[in-house]
Amino acid sequence: MSKRFDEYWKKNLTLIGVLLAIWAFVSYGLGIFLVQPLNNFWIAGFPLGFWFAQQGSIYVFVILILVYCVLMNKLDREYDVDEQ
């Protein structure tokens, strides 16, 4: 395989790893492990920890999907593997 192909996949996997780490932190960290300290704050009438467990992690997940899409389109254009 070519060096350029290896660079492309390395950047792709790095991006996936970073986004998965963010997802895990928000879902597990804020929604489960840090729920008690976050419950001292309120958003839209609900404790913040509860909100992250029920709504916030879903919003963050959707945002991460959009970020992945935008960044992968940019990476695809950079390595000339875009779908045109």
Side-chain angles (χ1 to χ4, degrees), residues 44-45 53 63 69-70 75:
I63 290 168
C69 191
V70 168
L75 188 65

Side-chain angles (χ1 to χ4, degrees), residues 59-73:
Y59 291 147
V60 170
F61 186 67
V62 170
I63 290 168
L64 290 176
I65 292 170
L66 295 173
V67 167
Y68 177 76
C69 191
V70 168
L71 293 178
M72 277 309 298
N73 282 337

Side-chain angles (χ1 to χ4, degrees), residues 38-66:
L38 289 174
N39 279 341
N40 293 321
F41 304 97
W42 293 77
I43 185 168
F46 297 99
L48 186 58
F50 174 79
W51 185 84
F52 262 110
Q54 298 301 315
Q55 299 294 326
S57 59
I58 296 169
Y59 291 147
V60 170
F61 186 67
V62 170
I63 290 168
L64 290 176
I65 292 170
L66 295 173

Side-chain angles (χ1 to χ4, degrees), residues 5-16 75:
F5 181 78
D6 290 340
E7 288 175 10
Y8 170 78
W9 278 108
K10 183 178 179 182
K11 288 183 180 182
N12 182 9
L13 293 176
T14 300
L15 175 61
I16 291 170
L75 188 65

